[in-house]
Amino acid sequence: MDDDIATLRSTSLAGIAAASDLRALDETRVSLLGKAGTLTRLLKELGRAAPEQHRARGAHLNHLRDDLTEALDSRRVILEEAAIAARLVSERIDITLPPPPEPAGSLHPISRTLDEMAAIFGAMGFAVAEGPDIETDWHNFSALNIPSHHPARDDHDTFYLPGIAGGSPRVLRTHTSPVQIRTMLTQAPPIRVIVPGRTFRADHDATHSPLFHQCEGLVIDRNITLAHLKGCLIDFLRAFFDLATLPVRFRASYFPFTEPSMEVDIGWNRKTGEIGAGGDWLEILGSGMVHPNVLANTGIDPREWQGFAFGMGVERVTMLKHGIPDLRPFYDSDLRWLRHYAFSPLLPAMLHEGGGA
Ligand code: 2NL
C-alpha cells in the first residue's frame, strides 16, 4: 500500500548518489524537499488519505524525509571535499619556475660609441674633459684663432643667444674645441684629453642635424710632433673599427686652429660600404698641430710646448661602423629602431691595447 513511498525512496537515493556536483545535488534537493518537491507534495496530500492509513503513512513519509535529508548532507560533504581537491589540483603553481624576465634598457649607439672612444683613448692615457653647451663667442671662436667677422664663423651656422657674457656674445657651441680652450686655461701642460659632447649648428637636412656630437682630442707636451699625431690616430682608428690593417691616409688641409692641418681618410669600398677594403678613401677625421696663436691665447708658451689636436663626428663614425644608413632616426626615440641598433649595457665597451697591428 506504501509502494509509492518505497519507489520514491529508491529513486531519490539513487538520484542523490548520482549527483555529480553541488549544483546537481541542490537541484535534486529542491525537486524532493522544495516547496513543489515530490515528497513535500506527498506530505501535503496526506490529509486526503483515509484516517486509518493516515498515521502509518505519515510516519513513513517523515522517516523518508529524515533519510533523504541525511543522504543529501553526506553527499554534499563528499562533493564539497571533491571540489576543494579539484581546485587544489587546477590552481597549483610551480614556485620553482624562474620569474619572467624584466624588460632591460639598452645603450643608444651614440652612447656606445662615446664609451668605446673613452675606452680606447683611455688606454692611451687620455682623460675625458667636459664643458658647457652655452659658450662665449671668445671660447668658441676667438681663442681658436678665428677672428671676428672671419668667414669661418659663417661656416659654422652658429646659434647666437641673446645677451653677452663678460663682453662676449653667447653661442651654442659649434664644436667641442672650447672645452679644450678651458682645459688649457686651467691646467698646466702636459695635457692629454678627449672631449666628447653635444654640439649645435643651424643646419637640418638628411645628413645634418641641428644637434649632433663630436669627439675632439688634445695633446700638449714638450717635443710633440706630427709623428705622435699619426701614430695616435692610426692606433685609434684600427682599434675603433677593429681592423688591425685598416689603411689610413693623411692629407694636407686647412683649419684656422692648427698648422699644419691634415684630414684623415680610411680605406673602404665605395660600392659595398665595407670598411678596410676596396681601394677607395673616406674622410673620417680632421687634425693638425695646435696653432701657436691658440697656445698663446691660453697662456701656454709655444716655444716650450707643442701639441696636436683632432676632431671627428660621432654620428658619422657610428653610422659607418654599424652600417646605419640614415642620420635622422638617431634622435627619434623610435623603440623599433632602438631595439635594432641599441646595445646591451652588459656588453663591455671594447678595450684595445692600441691598434693590434
Ligand atoms: C673636424 C676637425 C678638428 C681640432 C678639431 C682643435 C682644438 C683646439 C686647438 C686646435 Cl683647442 N685644434 N681641434 C683640430 C683639428 C680638427 O676637427 O673635422 N671635426 C669634425
Side-chain angles (χ1 to χ4, degrees), residues 119-352:
I120 296 166
F121 283 114
M124 297 189 212
F126 285 76
V128 173
E130 289 180 309
D133 290 351
I134 296 173
E135 271 294 0
T136 70
D137 170 270
W138 186 84
H139 289 89
N140 194 76
F141 292 122
S142 309
L144 285 153
N145 201 38
I146 311 173
S148 311
H149 312 298
H150 188 279
R153 298 198 184 207
D154 304 335
D155 297 347
H156 285 225
D157 297 315
T158 312
F159 286 110
Y160 280 88
L161 284 100
I164 54 167
S168 185
R170 295 182 309 164
V171 300
L172 292 182
R173 66 183 185 192
T174 59
H175 44 195
T176 58
S177 311
V179 183
Q180 285 129 281
I181 296 296
R182 289 176 182 279
T183 304
M184 289 191 280
L185 286 167
T186 55
Q187 292 177 30
I191 291 169
R192 277 198 297 258
V193 290
I194 59 162
V195 185
R198 282 182 193 141
T199 47
F200 307 86
R201 289 185 198 176
D203 204 354
H204 201 187
D205 60 36
T207 55
H208 294 88
S209 156
L211 182 156
F212 59 106
H213 297 77
Q214 283 195 339
C215 183
E216 291 197 30
L218 176 71
V219 171
I220 308 275
D221 206 335
R222 294 177 219 270
N223 306 314
I224 293 290
T225 72
L226 210 60
H228 296 107
L229 182 162
K230 290 181 72 176
C232 175
L233 292 181
I234 291 171
D235 279 358
F236 164 73
L237 290 169
R238 289 180 175 171
F240 181 75
F241 288 104
D242 205 10
L243 291 169
T245 58
L246 176 70
V248 180
R249 180 175 80 168
F250 292 81
R251 188 164 37 77
S253 184
Y254 172 80
F255 302 107
F257 25 86
T258 48
E259 183 60 37
S261 303
M262 294 184 295
E263 264 157 344
V264 187
D265 302 336
I266 57 173
W268 79 317
N269 184 327
R270 187 179 297 279
K271 285 214 184 83
T272 63
E274 191 194 346
I275 305 269
D280 301 314
W281 291 104
L282 181 67
E283 185 189 322
I284 198 98
L285 274 158
S287 68
M289 302 306 291
V290 178
H291 196 291
N293 289 353
V294 176
L295 294 171
N297 287 342
T298 55
I300 295 174
D301 185 349
R303 290 164 302 184
E304 188 179 353
W305 305 97
Q306 292 81 44
F308 68 85
F310 55 89
M312 69 189 120
V314 176
E315 282 79 358
R316 179 167 161 76
V317 297
T318 304
M319 290 167 76
L320 288 168
K321 180 164 175 171
H322 303 295
I324 300 172
D326 188 353
L327 175 87
R328 287 164 289 190
F330 273 116
Y331 320 104
D332 285 345
S333 302
D334 179 339
L335 282 176
R336 291 199 332 148
W337 186 89
L338 287 167
R339 281 193 192 103
H340 186 78
Y341 286 112
F343 292 87
S344 165
L346 300 177
L347 280 173
M350 56 203 301
L351 219 176
H352 293 259

